[in-house]
Amino acid sequence: MSMHDLGLFMTWYHHGWLAEYALPAAAGAGLTWIGLARHAVGKGRLLGSRRSAGLTLLILALTGAVGIVAAMALPHLAKLPPLTAGLATGATAMPRKKQDDTTQPYVKFMTLGIAWFRERLEYRMHLDACRWCDRFLDGFETSTQLRVFIYDLRNYLLDRHPTLTKTVNHLFDAADEAMVHALDVQTRTDEARREAGSPWMREPTADETYLCRSALGEARNRCGDLLLHAYVHGRRTEQPELESLRTKALSDDAFHSSPVPRPRLTFRRNRV
């Protein structure tokens, strides 16, 4: 490139739309994406559904627009009177109430609605995760199927997320306890329905149906807690493996196809 061409490029760079609009917008949106990605770790997926993806793109667009406005306003900030700068600096040192989980209204206004959309995005990610877990657990009708699935899911998570061992085991213990209770309720109900000296069983009463369904529903909820943990800490590429665990648990040959747990290898330094 000749000096003449370089001079034309610099002139276009300083006076064109690239320096005034595109670069500030891209820088703001890029940093925002990094911040959203880090904030979403352990909470959900930014692109988990159309609505969450739309909110993410809207936040990036608004941040880019703010970057353009800030770049255009910088030359005019020097014209502000010193009193304004003093008041703004003093306002930052004013005592504030401790913020709750929701952002204060004036913060939402000062960020041109970006803080509000971030709250909506976080709520949407949580809702996407819950809906995904509900759809994933559709088809489990007995506590036995749930126990097969949740046992394999526990081993799956321990193999891939060793740093989350304590949390995974705690969630598994709570789910297993709920499933044992559901199985016990179902067993006692079946015994009560079986007539003496007859192989037939009477229809369950309303109370028996309620107890069985509520116990199974509680077991599903506790299994959903562990599945939710797998969703928020996992990746999209793990979806086929989770589907395979689900298919195996729902199959009629689940007990025969369930593999024996593999021994876990631990590497420790040799002590002298």
Side-chain angles (χ1 to χ4, degrees), residues 190-202:
D190 293 341
E191 292 176 353
R193 291 171 56 195
R194 193 179 304 276
E195 298 179 0
S198 175
W200 305 103
M201 299 176 63
R202 60 173 175 80

PDB file of all heavy atoms in Angstrom, residues 190-202:
ATOM      1  N   ASP A 190     -50.944 -50.607  47.118  1.00  0.00           N
ATOM      2  CA  ASP A 190     -51.270 -51.842  46.402  1.00  0.00           C
ATOM      3  C   ASP A 190     -51.656 -52.952  47.367  1.00  0.00           C
ATOM      4  O   ASP A 190     -52.566 -53.758  47.072  1.00  0.00           O
ATOM      5  CB  ASP A 190     -50.073 -52.278  45.552  1.00  0.00           C
ATOM      6  CG  ASP A 190     -49.800 -51.310  44.409  1.00  0.00           C
ATOM      7  OD1 ASP A 190     -50.706 -50.539  44.050  1.00  0.00           O
ATOM      8  OD2 ASP A 190     -48.674 -51.333  43.875  1.00  0.00           O
ATOM      9  N   GLU A 191     -50.987 -53.040  48.502  1.00  0.00           N
ATOM     10  CA  GLU A 191     -51.344 -54.057  49.494  1.00  0.00           C
ATOM     11  C   GLU A 191     -52.736 -53.813  50.065  1.00  0.00           C
ATOM     12  O   GLU A 191     -53.493 -54.763  50.317  1.00  0.00           O
ATOM     13  CB  GLU A 191     -50.310 -54.073  50.620  1.00  0.00           C
ATOM     14  CG  GLU A 191     -48.931 -54.569  50.184  1.00  0.00           C
ATOM     15  CD  GLU A 191     -47.913 -54.479  51.304  1.00  0.00           C
ATOM     16  OE1 GLU A 191     -48.255 -53.905  52.367  1.00  0.00           O
ATOM     17  OE2 GLU A 191     -46.776 -54.981  51.123  1.00  0.00           O
ATOM     18  N   ALA A 192     -53.053 -52.519  50.260  1.00  0.00           N
ATOM     19  CA  ALA A 192     -54.385 -52.221  50.791  1.00  0.00           C
ATOM     20  C   ALA A 192     -55.474 -52.479  49.760  1.00  0.00           C
ATOM     21  O   ALA A 192     -56.605 -52.839  50.125  1.00  0.00           O
ATOM     22  CB  ALA A 192     -54.438 -50.763  51.244  1.00  0.00           C
ATOM     23  N   ARG A 193     -55.155 -52.363  48.483  1.00  0.00           N
ATOM     24  CA  ARG A 193     -56.149 -52.584  47.433  1.00  0.00           C
ATOM     25  C   ARG A 193     -56.364 -54.057  47.128  1.00  0.00           C
ATOM     26  O   ARG A 193     -57.378 -54.424  46.528  1.00  0.00           O
ATOM     27  CB  ARG A 193     -55.697 -51.873  46.150  1.00  0.00           C
ATOM     28  CG  ARG A 193     -55.734 -50.365  46.235  1.00  0.00           C
ATOM     29  CD  ARG A 193     -55.065 -49.783  44.997  1.00  0.00           C
ATOM     30  NE  ARG A 193     -55.686 -50.287  43.770  1.00  0.00           N
ATOM     31  CZ  ARG A 193     -55.137 -50.186  42.555  1.00  0.00           C
ATOM     32  NH1 ARG A 193     -53.941 -49.622  42.421  1.00  0.00           N
ATOM     33  NH2 ARG A 193     -55.756 -50.658  41.489  1.00  0.00           N
ATOM     34  N   ARG A 194     -55.418 -54.898  47.516  1.00  0.00           N
ATOM     35  CA  ARG A 194     -55.529 -56.324  47.205  1.00  0.00           C
ATOM     36  C   ARG A 194     -56.500 -56.984  48.189  1.00  0.00           C
ATOM     37  O   ARG A 194     -56.296 -56.952  49.399  1.00  0.00           O
ATOM     38  CB  ARG A 194     -54.167 -56.990  47.281  1.00  0.00           C
ATOM     39  CG  ARG A 194     -54.157 -58.402  46.660  1.00  0.00           C
ATOM     40  CD  ARG A 194     -52.751 -59.001  46.750  1.00  0.00           C
ATOM     41  NE  ARG A 194     -51.783 -58.128  46.112  1.00  0.00           N
ATOM     42  CZ  ARG A 194     -51.536 -58.127  44.802  1.00  0.00           C
ATOM     43  NH1 ARG A 194     -52.220 -58.932  44.002  1.00  0.00           N
ATOM     44  NH2 ARG A 194     -50.622 -57.324  44.295  1.00  0.00           N
ATOM     45  N   GLU A 195     -57.538 -57.574  47.641  1.00  0.00           N
ATOM     46  CA  GLU A 195     -58.532 -58.226  48.479  1.00  0.00           C
ATOM     47  C   GLU A 195     -58.010 -59.572  48.988  1.00  0.00           C
ATOM     48  O   GLU A 195     -57.274 -60.266  48.295  1.00  0.00           O
ATOM     49  CB  GLU A 195     -59.825 -58.427  47.684  1.00  0.00           C
ATOM     50  CG  GLU A 195     -60.454 -57.119  47.222  1.00  0.00           C
ATOM     51  CD  GLU A 195     -61.717 -57.347  46.412  1.00  0.00           C
ATOM     52  OE1 GLU A 195     -62.064 -58.533  46.226  1.00  0.00           O
ATOM     53  OE2 GLU A 195     -62.322 -56.362  45.980  1.00  0.00           O
ATOM     54  N   ALA A 196     -58.413 -59.894  50.189  1.00  0.00           N
ATOM     55  CA  ALA A 196     -57.943 -61.140  50.816  1.00  0.00           C
ATOM     56  C   ALA A 196     -58.451 -62.350  50.038  1.00  0.00           C
ATOM     57  O   ALA A 196     -59.640 -62.486  49.774  1.00  0.00           O
ATOM     58  CB  ALA A 196     -58.423 -61.200  52.271  1.00  0.00           C
ATOM     59  N   GLY A 197     -57.519 -63.263  49.715  1.00  0.00           N
ATOM     60  CA  GLY A 197     -57.888 -64.492  49.012  1.00  0.00           C
ATOM     61  C   GLY A 197     -58.244 -64.291  47.561  1.00  0.00           C
ATOM     62  O   GLY A 197     -58.777 -65.217  46.941  1.00  0.00           O
ATOM     63  N   SER A 198     -57.974 -63.112  47.006  1.00  0.00           N
ATOM     64  CA  SER A 198     -58.327 -62.851  45.608  1.00  0.00           C
ATOM     65  C   SER A 198     -57.146 -62.200  44.898  1.00  0.00           C
ATOM     66  O   SER A 198     -56.478 -61.340  45.463  1.00  0.00           O
ATOM     67  CB  SER A 198     -59.547 -61.921  45.529  1.00  0.00           C
ATOM     68  OG  SER A 198     -59.806 -61.573  44.170  1.00  0.00           O
ATOM     69  N   PRO A 199     -56.882 -62.618  43.652  1.00  0.00           N
ATOM     70  CA  PRO A 199     -55.763 -62.004  42.916  1.00  0.00           C
ATOM     71  C   PRO A 199     -56.108 -60.631  42.356  1.00  0.00           C
ATOM     72  O   PRO A 199     -55.233 -59.947  41.828  1.00  0.00           O
ATOM     73  CB  PRO A 199     -55.511 -63.003  41.788  1.00  0.00           C
ATOM     74  CG  PRO A 199     -56.845 -63.644  41.545  1.00  0.00           C
ATOM     75  CD  PRO A 199     -57.507 -63.707  42.895  1.00  0.00           C
ATOM     76  N   TRP A 200     -57.345 -60.233  42.447  1.00  0.00           N
ATOM     77  CA  TRP A 200     -57.776 -58.959  41.877  1.00  0.00           C
ATOM     78  C   TRP A 200     -57.560 -57.826  42.879  1.00  0.00           C
ATOM     79  O   TRP A 200     -57.537 -58.034  44.085  1.00  0.00           O
ATOM     80  CB  TRP A 200     -59.255 -59.025  41.485  1.00  0.00           C
ATOM     81  CG  TRP A 200     -59.558 -60.162  40.550  1.00  0.00           C
ATOM     82  CD1 TRP A 200     -60.152 -61.351  40.862  1.00  0.00           C
ATOM     83  CD2 TRP A 200     -59.228 -60.224  39.169  1.00  0.00           C
ATOM     84  NE1 TRP A 200     -60.242 -62.160  39.778  1.00  0.00           N
ATOM     85  CE2 TRP A 200     -59.685 -61.490  38.699  1.00  0.00           C
ATOM     86  CE3 TRP A 200     -58.629 -59.357  38.272  1.00  0.00           C
ATOM     87  CZ2 TRP A 200     -59.551 -61.901  37.386  1.00  0.00           C
ATOM     88  CZ3 TRP A 200     -58.484 -59.751  36.961  1.00  0.00           C
ATOM     89  CH2 TRP A 200     -58.932 -61.011  36.522  1.00  0.00           C
ATOM     90  N   MET A 201     -57.441 -56.639  42.344  1.00  0.00           N
ATOM     91  CA  MET A 201     -57.254 -55.441  43.162  1.00  0.00           C
ATOM     92  C   MET A 201     -58.406 -54.488  42.916  1.00  0.00           C
ATOM     93  O   MET A 201     -58.839 -54.289  41.773  1.00  0.00           O
ATOM     94  CB  MET A 201     -55.920 -54.754  42.822  1.00  0.00           C
ATOM     95  CG  MET A 201     -54.695 -55.626  43.063  1.00  0.00           C
ATOM     96  SD  MET A 201     -53.156 -54.816  42.549  1.00  0.00           S
ATOM     97  CE  MET A 201     -53.133 -53.409  43.662  1.00  0.00           C
ATOM     98  N   ARG A 202     -58.898 -53.920  44.003  1.00  0.00           N
ATOM     99  CA  ARG A 202     -59.984 -52.954  43.862  1.00  0.00           C
ATOM    100  C   ARG A 202     -59.461 -51.626  43.328  1.00  0.00           C
ATOM    101  O   ARG A 202     -58.251 -51.369  43.322  1.00  0.00           O
ATOM    102  CB  ARG A 202     -60.657 -52.719  45.219  1.00  0.00           C
ATOM    103  CG  ARG A 202     -59.724 -52.175  46.281  1.00  0.00           C
ATOM    104  CD  ARG A 202     -60.461 -51.805  47.549  1.00  0.00           C
ATOM    105  NE  ARG A 202     -59.552 -51.400  48.605  1.00  0.00           N
ATOM    106  CZ  ARG A 202     -58.997 -50.184  48.701  1.00  0.00           C
ATOM    107  NH1 ARG A 202     -59.276 -49.246  47.784  1.00  0.00           N
ATOM    108  NH2 ARG A 202     -58.175 -49.895  49.698  1.00  0.00           N
TER     109      ARG A 202
END
